[in-house]
Amino acid sequence: MNGYSVRMEVKEGEIKKIMNRLTKAQETIYECYEELQELGVLTVVPADAEEKAATE
């Protein structure tokens, strides 16, 4: 059996800075996603659409 242990040390406040950057990046990605939808480049279909098409 393999067991792993990891210990990390970071300066106080570094995790918060990183998480804030990740949040901002996620917001930017979502804005781009919405722009693609508005341009008609991206269409969202229901998850079960592929299953229905395969059975027809």
Side-chain angles (χ1 to χ4, degrees), residues 27-42:
E27 290 169 355
T28 299
I29 290 168
Y30 190 74
E31 288 169 5
C32 292
Y33 168 82
E34 287 179 330
E35 287 180 40
L36 290 172
Q37 279 187 307
E38 289 172 11
L39 291 171
V41 175
L42 174 68

Side-chain angles (χ1 to χ4, degrees), residues 2-56:
N2 291 331
Y4 299 94
S5 177
V6 177
R7 182 171 183 260
M8 300 171 72
E9 291 184 18
V10 294
K11 292 179 184 175
E12 188 174 337
E14 287 299 310
I15 296 295
K16 183 172 176 89
K17 285 185 203 176
I18 293 168
M19 295 307 289
N20 287 341
R21 286 176 46 215
L22 284 170
T23 298
K24 184 174 168 114
Q26 185 178 12
E27 290 169 355
T28 299
I29 290 168
Y30 190 74
E31 288 169 5
C32 292
Y33 168 82
E34 287 179 330
E35 287 180 40
L36 290 172
Q37 279 187 307
E38 289 172 11
L39 291 171
V41 175
L42 174 68
T43 304
V44 178
V45 297
D48 62 350
E50 286 183 18
E51 293 173 15
K52 286 182 181 178
T55 59
E56 292 177 354

